[in-house]
């Protein structure tokens, strides 16, 4: 359930017509609904009732600080995977003590930033990373609280590009190596082993793989405790799927997911860390775009819009489905016809939907791509030298731009001609005076 509904024939985000936002901010623009964010967070938190659970929002799904703040105000912590995400979470007001730092390639600088901030836990994904972290902790004179991410080798039954818990994936250490790696970590004076972490994939629409993975974690907790480790936290990752509107079967509810947690790891006496991303923000966002042309092709009709794969990559990258509706409500008896909704980028993959039934639309009309709050704006780029997409947050009757559109002037301003090509006004060569390229002049 979300708060993007028609009212008086116009699609609204809460009490604001998206048409009004587009008129002020322009298109394409991401629009987020505070009420939907709040609803998803409170539903998820209520499902975990009775469990010692800390909800660390996976900010990679939507790193806008206003979105993070909305969730932090409700008590959410954060799961971050880069120094940049750590800064965003801290800037948004998430207390460091509620931040988990995950990721396969943390650099020493990122580790130092996390340790200095005082994050709750760093999830270590390999032995080389463990060694580097121990060195960084020693240099800062702190003990690094860690969990080791275990790859439980279960099939998450999701898109190949977002499955993470198979032995062939790059994430975590094989669960069969846990005994030995924990023994090493446990012997390191600069490392404080606090828990175990796992994350098996994203957009899971089936609870069984969660059950399988959590059972494996349960066994590991018992084994590692028997080895003498004081395992206090169990990070179960994120991954619960959401409805995009094209599913054949219903998506499991947070309550059903919580039941799996209760029945597998609920009684271990561990503080549970949950890292939902998509579930909290996916349905809380939409991408608003304007029709540029309607083009009658030889065999198909193309609705060409001003958003493109650089603004919303999911359809191109994962063949993902996003429901697309007009901002103006069509009469119930309106005839629809099958159209392809495409962006202006010079790639056939720049397609948002094929054979979609739409009521008649014309140049200038607005279309809304729903369920784009997760992995939408965060994966946007400026490919084809297109401005970076703007973002707006709505709350009741109010809306605010929470991320500016980055105009082409700014994109051009960061590019420079080297000296040997002749500097243009405003461009500064970054070549050092006596640098290795000096001879090229
Ligand atoms: N925790 C870890 C360690 C993760 O790697 C992820 C997502 C999450 C939590 C949050 O998962 P969620 O609850 O959002 O499923 N760009 C892709 C999704 C990539 C997910 C990566 N990791 C997409 O657009 O579908």
């Amino acid at each position: 359930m979300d708060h993007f509904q028609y009212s008086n024939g116009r699609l609204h985000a809460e009490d604001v017509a998206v048409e009004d936002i587009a008129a002020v901010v322009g298109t394409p623009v991401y629009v987020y609904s505070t009420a939907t964010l709040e609803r998803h967070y409170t539903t998820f938190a209520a499902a975990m009732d009775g469990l010692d659970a800390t909800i660390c929002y996976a900010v990679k799904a939507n790193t806008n600080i206003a979105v993070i703040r909305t969730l932090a105000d409700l008590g959410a912590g954060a799961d971050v995977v880069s120094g940049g995400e750590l800064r965003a979470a801290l800037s948004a007001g998430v207390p460091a003590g509620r931040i988990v730092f995950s990721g396969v390639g943390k650099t020493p600088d990122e580790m130092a930033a996390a340790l200095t901030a005082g994050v709750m836990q760093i999830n270590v994904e390999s032995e080389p990373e463990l060694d580097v972290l121990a060195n960084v902790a020693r240099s800062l004179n702190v003990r690094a609280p860690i969990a080791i991410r275990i790859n439980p080798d279960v099939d998450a039954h999701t898109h190949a590009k977002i499955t993470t818990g198979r032995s062939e994936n790059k994430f975590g250490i094989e669960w069969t190596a846990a005994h030995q790696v924990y023994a090493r970590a446990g012997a390191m004076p600069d490392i404080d082993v606090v828990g175990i972490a796992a994350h098996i994939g994203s957009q899971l629409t089936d609870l069984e793989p969660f059950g399988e993975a959590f059972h494996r974690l349960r066994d590991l907790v018992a084994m590692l405790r028997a080895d003498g480790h004081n395992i206090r936290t169990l990070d179960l990752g994120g991954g619960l799927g959401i409805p995009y509107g094209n599913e054949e079967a219903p998506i499991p509810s947070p309550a059903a997911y919580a039941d799996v947690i209760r029945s597998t790891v609920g009684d271990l006496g561990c503080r549970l860390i949950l890292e939902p991303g998509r579930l909290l923000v996916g349905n809380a966002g939409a991408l608003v775009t304007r029709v540029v042309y309607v083009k009658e092709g030889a065999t198909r009709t193309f609705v060409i819009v001003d958003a493109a794969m650089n603004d919303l990559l999911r359809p191109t990258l994962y063949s993902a489905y996003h429901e697309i509706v007009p901002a103006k409500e069509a009469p119930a008896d309106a005839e629809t016809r099958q159209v392809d909704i495409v962006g202006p980028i010079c790639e056939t993959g720049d397609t948002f939907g094929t054979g979609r039934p739409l009521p008649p639309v014309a140049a200038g009309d607005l279309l809304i791509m729903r369920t784009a709050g997760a992995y939408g704006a965060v994966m946007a780029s400026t490919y084809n030298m297109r401005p970076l997409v703007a973002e707006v947050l709505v709350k009741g009757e109010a809306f605010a731009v929470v991320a500016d559109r980055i105009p082409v002037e700014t994109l051009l301003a960061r590019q420079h001609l080297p000296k040997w090509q002749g500097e243009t006004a405003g461009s500064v060569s970054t070549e050092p005076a006596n640098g290795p390229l000096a001879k090229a002049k």
Side-chain angles (χ1 to χ4, degrees), residues 58 60 79 149 162 199 202-203 238-239 275-278 314 318 375 379:
K60 65 168 74 66
D79 163 49
R149 177 163 171 183
I162 52 175
H199 169 79
S202 192
Q203 187 53 16
E275 300 174 352
R278 188 191 312 266
R314 305 193 66 256
Y318 315 114
Y375 309 110
M379 291 172 71

Side-chain angles (χ1 to χ4, degrees), residues 69-287:
R69 169 69 69 98
T70 305
L71 297 170
D73 281 348
L74 298 170
D79 163 49
V80 303
V81 293
S82 69
E85 285 193 356
L86 174 64
R87 283 183 61 175
L90 292 170
S91 312
V94 180
R98 296 178 74 81
I99 296 179
V100 176
F101 192 8
S102 313
V104 289
K106 300 176 204 82
T107 63
D109 282 351
E110 290 176 318
M111 292 170 177
L115 289 174
T116 307
V119 300
M120 164 168 62
Q121 174 175 309
I122 298 182
N123 291 346
V124 171
E125 301 223 12
S126 66
E127 288 191 73
E129 186 193 341
L130 184 62
D131 294 331
V132 172
L133 181 62
N135 281 337
V136 174
R138 187 172 327 122
S139 71
L140 292 171
N141 205 16
V142 294
R143 282 187 91 204
I146 68 141
I148 292 175
R149 177 163 171 183
I150 297 296
N151 185 327
D153 195 20
V154 298
D155 186 350
H157 305 152
T158 184
H159 192 283
K161 288 193 174 127
I162 52 175
T163 195
T164 52
R166 299 304 306 273
S167 57
E168 63 267 33
N169 300 137
K170 68 183 175 185
F171 300 98
I173 62 156
E174 316 82 84
W175 63 279
T176 44
H179 171 73
Q180 171 253 328
V181 179
Y182 271 86
R184 264 199 75 201
M188 292 176 154
D190 306 295
I191 295 289
D192 180 17
V193 176
V194 299
I196 311 177
H199 169 79
I200 57 172
S202 192
Q203 187 53 16
L204 271 70
T205 54
D206 175 2
L207 291 176
E208 205 195 288
F210 284 121
E212 223 182 299
F214 299 166
H215 266 295
R216 190 146 278 173
L217 290 179
R218 180 186 180 83
D219 293 346
L220 279 176
V221 170
M223 180 192 89
L224 294 172
R225 280 180 174 161
D227 285 351
H229 300 286
N230 182 7
I231 301 296
R232 289 152 273 166
T233 71
L234 200 50
D235 182 340
L236 302 177
L240 185 56
I242 61 170
Y244 279 91
N246 65 335
E247 299 64 31
E248 279 152 23
I251 304 287
S253 66
Y257 170 71
D259 284 343
V260 174
I261 295 176
R262 269 189 205 95
S263 64
T264 50
V265 294
D267 61 348
L268 295 176
C270 285
R271 175 187 197 181
L272 302 175
I273 299 171
L274 303 166
E275 300 174 352
R278 188 191 312 266
L279 181 102
L280 298 179
V281 297
N283 284 331
L287 176 59

